[in-house]
Amino acid sequence: MPPLVSTLLATLTISPRALALIPMQCTARPAMHASPPSRSVRMVRMNAGSLAEQVKLAVSRGASSPLDTCPAVCGAVATGFGRGSKKLGVPTANLPCSLFQTTLNDLSCGVYIGWAVVRGSLYKCVANIGFSPTFVDAENPEKMVEAHLLHVFHDDFYHEPLALLLVGFIRAERKFNSFDELVTTIRADIETARLELDQPPYHSMRHARWLRSKLITPDLDSTGPVFELLPPADLLADEPSTADGIIVGLPPAGFEWGSIF
């Protein structure tokens, strides 16, 4: 009896009719699969219970709060006000909320952590949604998504597609008493994003199917700006399909064999 059939019989109750089909399926299996590849991918399937446990862990860390629904936005980067890089030393890529009509109006103003895709690569990011009230008489003329990607870019990507999946909330937007206080807080936010995005449940969300679809540069001329609200449980269940260690689809940037990516 083939080994696969023995294993099935040890764990399952199978009807005789179904059992009769198994040898045919086993003998039809291509010989190339007889030995698994030397490098395999370990996959973890998430369910509602594990999501609840991961959310509890995130809350206990106290640095961020997982979102009930995760905003996913994609649009062309707008020319900003020069404040992020010139005044604060923290360059940002900006998506005006008017790109998405009124769909972002209900999002709470504040600082979020998440994953960003630009130029076919995946990066950690921290994003402020709001009006930048600390800049007196120079506040944003409209609600703005200002994202800082945790990577050093040597050129701008104005007017290029940027996709953001926001998965956690750090703090509400507020007016600071000084630029020094603002800069100190922003740098703390960046470090929070750097550390938190390596922790559950956020780390696993970087394989979200929505993000993988954006690794191929979106054609905004045909699709236009995109805004969706995605359930966290769906993001955790979105690992790429595998067949004997072969990844179907594009792996995220930074993928390492033999690890959960």
Side-chain angles (χ1 to χ4, degrees), residues 98-133:
S98 58
L99 280 177
F100 312 96
Q101 299 180 2
T102 61
T103 54
L104 269 62
N105 286 354
D106 293 335
L107 291 182
S108 297
C109 291
V111 180
Y112 296 76
I113 62 173
W115 298 99
V117 172
V118 67
R119 295 177 176 174
S121 294
L122 180 71
Y123 304 99
K124 295 175 179 179
C125 74
V126 57
N128 184 77
I129 297 179
F131 300 91
S132 299

Side-chain angles (χ1 to χ4, degrees), residues 44-206:
V44 177
R45 291 296 176 191
M46 303 297 177
N47 54 37
S50 62
L51 173 59
E53 292 169 3
Q54 291 188 45
V55 168
K56 186 182 296 184
L57 284 173
V59 172
S60 69
R61 292 194 300 269
S64 66
S65 300
L67 300 176
D68 293 334
T69 55
C70 298
V73 297
C74 183
V77 175
T79 303
F81 306 103
R83 298 183 304 216
S85 57
K86 294 178 181 177
K87 289 189 177 182
L88 304 176
V90 182
T92 60
N94 304 321
L95 298 176
C97 287
S98 58
L99 280 177
F100 312 96
Q101 299 180 2
T102 61
T103 54
L104 269 62
N105 286 354
D106 293 335
L107 291 182
S108 297
C109 291
V111 180
Y112 296 76
I113 62 173
W115 298 99
V117 172
V118 67
R119 295 177 176 174
S121 294
L122 180 71
Y123 304 99
K124 295 175 179 179
C125 74
V126 57
N128 184 77
I129 297 179
F131 300 91
S132 299
T134 301
F135 293 91
V136 179
D137 297 326
E139 298 90 345
N140 297 345
E142 62 174 303
K143 199 173 186 179
M144 187 88 67
V145 181
E146 301 171 287
H148 173 72
L149 279 58
L150 277 64
H151 180 78
V152 177
F153 293 90
H154 298 290
D155 58 346
D156 295 323
F157 41 89
Y158 293 132
H159 313 300
E160 296 183 38
L162 171 69
L164 300 173
L165 176 63
L166 306 179
V167 296
F169 187 80
I170 299 178
R171 61 177 177 83
E173 184 180 51
R174 67 185 182 89
K175 183 177 179 179
F176 291 90
N177 295 322
S178 68
F179 284 119
D180 287 343
E181 184 184 2
L182 172 62
V183 171
T184 299
T185 304
I186 289 175
R187 296 202 178 281
D189 293 338
I190 292 171
E191 189 60 22
T192 295
R194 188 188 312 279
L195 297 175
E196 283 290 280
L197 288 167
D198 284 334
Q199 302 297 323
Y202 311 123
H203 186 65
S204 297
M205 291 178 178
R206 63 177 178 162

